């Protein structure tokens, strides 16, 4: 994820030609000659921008913050996925030719704006912690219905459920997207009224509004699985599963089920000789165990957490384990670091995540995370569908 937003830092990261193009589309004349503009003039650009009328500046600031939030590896990956759905075969080569995440994302915002909304929603879903997803993998393997009446039925059913049980959800909109072999349905039910203190011109006022809360359904036909993200609405998940099955899968007899109860097998990670099954073409240079949590077999609530610096010694955790020689134990959590092959002139990327017994994993289900999950499956760690 990109760091905290700052006007001046944002202006420094966007190429002058893109800034000129953006402000031209907004019909905003800042009195800046972007053909000769450079980083040393950022203070002048900042002064001109902050002198804009309040409403105009606020609208542009909101878009700049959206662009900044997308300016990361995950944002570019989400844009590529959305471009693939739209069969834009030239997109990958075009965005790869642009240096810097902010420049890549600004180019997509300006030139490929039809990809923007889907990509931003995908990035949000990718950044949701695995603990918030509730999964069932016993769904009927039938194609989902994308017709307008089915989408409306899903929205209306979500609205009716929350309105009846909680008195909110009077309105709801659902937006469907396809990504690889998964179908995403982003639902936006109306939440309770909320009063917020805002600056309106030179006055501080309290404004009432009805924000939307978000529910995400991710359906995979080939797996017969449905993941639901419904933060603070866990009790509603069983009913949301039935609503989805009825409206999108045309399946009226879905039985009460449970969340995914597959179990990660962490036992192999106790062996210092264990190796992850990494394919040469995966782009991954090395996978290292950086932490192990041992739960002792005898006694209750006794754990040992082993952590060591693996920068110069990938086996450091196992060397410490051998030195301590603990009594009989189970591996109940592991922290794993994946090191990707470095590209020319760039530092190697890394991905660090935890796997916790019985079935918690901090990886997502797309992009590099999906690639890592496949390696875990081949290595006997990831539970198979």
């Amino acid at each position: 994820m990109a760091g905290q937003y700052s006007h001046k830092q944002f202006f420094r990261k966007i190429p002058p030609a893109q800034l000129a193009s953006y402000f031209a589309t907004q019909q905003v004349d800042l009195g800046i000659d972007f053909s000769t503009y450079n980083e040393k003039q950022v203070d002048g650009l900042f002064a001109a921008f902050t002198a804009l009328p309040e409403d105009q500046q606020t609208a542009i600031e909101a878009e700049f913050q959206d662009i900044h939030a997308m300016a990361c590896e995950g944002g570019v990956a989400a844009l590529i996925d959305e471009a693939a759905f739209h069969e834009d075969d030239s997109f990958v080569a075009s965005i790869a030719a642009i240096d810097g995440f902010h420049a890549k994302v600004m180019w997509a915002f300006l030139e490929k704006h039809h990809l923007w909304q889907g990509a931003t929603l995908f990035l949000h879903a990718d950044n949701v912690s695995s603990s918030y997803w509730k999964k069932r993998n016993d769904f009927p393997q039938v194609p989902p219905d994308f017709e307008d009446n089915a989408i409306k039925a899903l929205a209306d059913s979500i609205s009716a459920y929350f309105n009846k049980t909680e008195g909110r959800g009077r309105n709801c909109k659902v937006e469907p997207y396809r990504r690889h072999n998964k179908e995403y349905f982003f639902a936006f039910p109306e939440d309770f009224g909320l009063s917020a203190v805002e600056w309106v011109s030179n006055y501080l006022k309290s404004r009432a509004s009805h924000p939307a809360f978000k529910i995400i359904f991710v359906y995979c036909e080939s797996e017969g699985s449905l993941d639901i993200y419904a933060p603070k609405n866990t009790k509603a998940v069983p009913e949301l599963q039935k609503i989805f099955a009825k409206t999108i899968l045309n399946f009226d007899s879905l039985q009460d089920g449970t969340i995914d109860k597959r179990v990660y097998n962490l036992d192999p990670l106790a062996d210092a000789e264990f190796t992850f099954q990494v394919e040469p073409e995966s782009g991954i240079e090395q996978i290292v165990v950086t932490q192990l949590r041992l739960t002792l077999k005898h006694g209750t609530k006794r754990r040992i957490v082993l952590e060591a610096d693996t920068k110069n010694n990938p086996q450091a955790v196992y060397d410490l384990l051998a030195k301590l020689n603990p009594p009989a134990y189970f591996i109940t959590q592991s922290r794993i670091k994946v090191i990707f092959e470095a590209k020319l002139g760039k530092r190697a990327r890394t991905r660090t995540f935890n796997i916790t017994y019985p079935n918690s994993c901090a990886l997502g289900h797309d992009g590099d995370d999906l690639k890592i999950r496949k390696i875990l499956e081949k290595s006997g760690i990831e539970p198979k569908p």
Side-chain angles (χ1 to χ4, degrees):
M1 293 284 294
Q4 185 175 352
Y5 175 82
S6 157
H7 282 324
K8 291 185 179 181
Q9 289 299 323
F10 183 80
F11 293 149
R12 289 188 179 101
K13 292 177 179 179
I14 303 295
Q18 289 185 346
L19 288 172
S21 180
Y22 176 86
F23 286 113
T25 61
Q26 301 294 319
Q27 298 181 334
V28 173
D29 184 4
L30 296 174
I32 302 290
D33 183 359
F34 285 102
S35 65
T36 60
Y37 173 83
N38 58 56
E39 282 191 11
K40 294 180 181 179
Q41 297 172 287
V42 71
D43 288 340
L45 175 57
F46 174 77
F49 176 71
T50 53
L52 289 174
E54 179 187 356
D55 290 348
Q56 194 172 37
Q57 182 181 336
T58 299
I60 294 174
E61 281 178 354
E63 290 191 339
F64 282 174
Q65 293 212 57
D66 288 344
I67 293 166
H68 176 70
M70 285 288 287
C72 59
E73 187 175 338
V76 172
L79 284 164
I80 290 173
D81 287 344
E82 184 66 351
F85 173 78
H86 289 274
E87 299 182 348
D88 188 340
D89 298 331
S90 64
F91 184 86
V92 173
S94 297
I95 201 167
I98 301 172
D99 292 330
F101 286 128
H102 281 77
K104 291 177 188 289
V105 170
M106 177 61 94
W107 169 80
F109 181 86
L110 293 170
E111 304 296 334
K112 305 285 184 176
H113 198 72
H114 62 286
L115 307 177
W116 191 255
Q117 184 171 357
T120 55
L121 291 172
F122 287 151
L123 181 62
H124 172 76
D126 291 344
N127 288 326
V128 171
S129 170
S130 61
S131 62
Y132 284 106
W133 290 102
K134 304 304 177 186
K135 185 184 188 77
R136 273 187 69 172
N137 54 7
D138 59 348
F139 262 60
Q141 292 176 278
V142 296
D145 189 346
F146 281 110
E147 295 297 326
D148 290 346
N149 59 342
I151 302 302
K152 185 177 185 303
L154 175 59
D156 289 347
S157 297
I158 293 171
S159 177
Y161 171 75
F162 281 105
N163 196 251
K164 179 180 179 180
T165 59
E166 300 180 16
R168 56 175 175 161
R170 181 171 50 185
N171 296 294
C172 181
K173 183 178 181 180
V174 173
E175 297 178 352
Y177 292 88
R178 173 184 285 272
R179 191 183 194 189
H180 304 306
N181 67 330
K182 292 182 171 65
E183 319 295 345
Y184 287 68
F185 297 80
F186 295 88
F188 300 91
E190 183 179 348
D191 208 341
F192 296 116
L194 178 68
S195 179
V197 178
E198 300 178 358
W199 281 101
V200 181
S201 296
N202 297 324
Y203 298 94
L204 194 61
K205 294 185 177 181
S206 178
R207 283 187 174 181
S209 64
H210 282 266
F213 62 101
K214 187 177 293 183
I215 296 172
I216 308 174
F217 302 83
V218 183
Y219 174 68
C220 181
E221 179 184 346
S222 61
E223 295 180 1
S225 65
L226 177 68
D227 289 86
I228 295 181
Y229 165 71
K232 300 180 182 179
N233 291 286
T234 305
K235 292 181 179 179
V237 168
E239 186 60 30
L240 291 172
Q241 292 169 345
K242 293 178 180 179
I243 288 172
F244 183 89
K246 182 176 182 179
T247 58
I248 301 300
L249 304 182
N250 298 308
F251 195 79
D252 291 323
S253 57
L254 183 71
Q255 301 298 315
D256 289 334
T258 59
I259 62 172
D260 185 7
K261 289 188 175 181
R262 297 173 299 164
V263 174
Y264 284 91
N265 178 23
L266 301 183
D267 291 342
L269 299 180
D271 185 357
E273 302 299 320
F274 172 79
T275 56
F276 292 93
Q277 302 301 306
V278 181
E279 299 291 341
E281 65 274 12
S282 67
I284 292 175
E285 179 180 312
Q286 190 178 35
I287 301 182
V288 180
V289 174
T290 63
Q291 185 186 92
L292 289 174
R293 188 180 75 189
L294 319 180
T295 298
L296 303 186
K297 291 184 178 181
H298 305 294
T300 58
K301 296 183 180 180
R302 296 197 299 168
R303 295 174 176 173
I304 300 173
V305 177
L306 304 181
E307 185 173 8
D309 185 358
T310 57
K311 183 176 181 180
N312 298 316
N313 177 16
Q315 293 292 103
V317 170
Y318 292 102
D319 290 347
L320 179 60
L321 178 61
K323 183 177 181 180
L324 293 178
N325 190 27
Y329 59 85
F330 299 106
I331 301 290
T332 54
Q333 187 180 79
S334 177
R335 181 170 299 160
I336 298 172
K337 182 177 183 179
V338 178
I339 304 170
F340 293 89
E341 294 175 354
K343 296 182 179 179
L344 185 63
K346 297 183 179 180
R347 295 177 59 184
R349 295 183 295 107
T350 63
R351 176 71 166 99
T352 302
F353 61 95
N354 287 353
I355 300 177
T356 305
Y357 180 87
N359 60 359
S360 175
C361 178
L363 289 172
H365 293 273
D366 292 280
D368 286 336
D369 282 8
L370 179 59
K371 184 186 299 182
I372 297 170
R373 281 188 182 274
K374 290 180 178 178
I375 292 173
L376 294 177
E377 185 176 330
K378 290 181 180 179
S379 305
I381 305 296
E382 172 88 357
K384 297 181 180 180

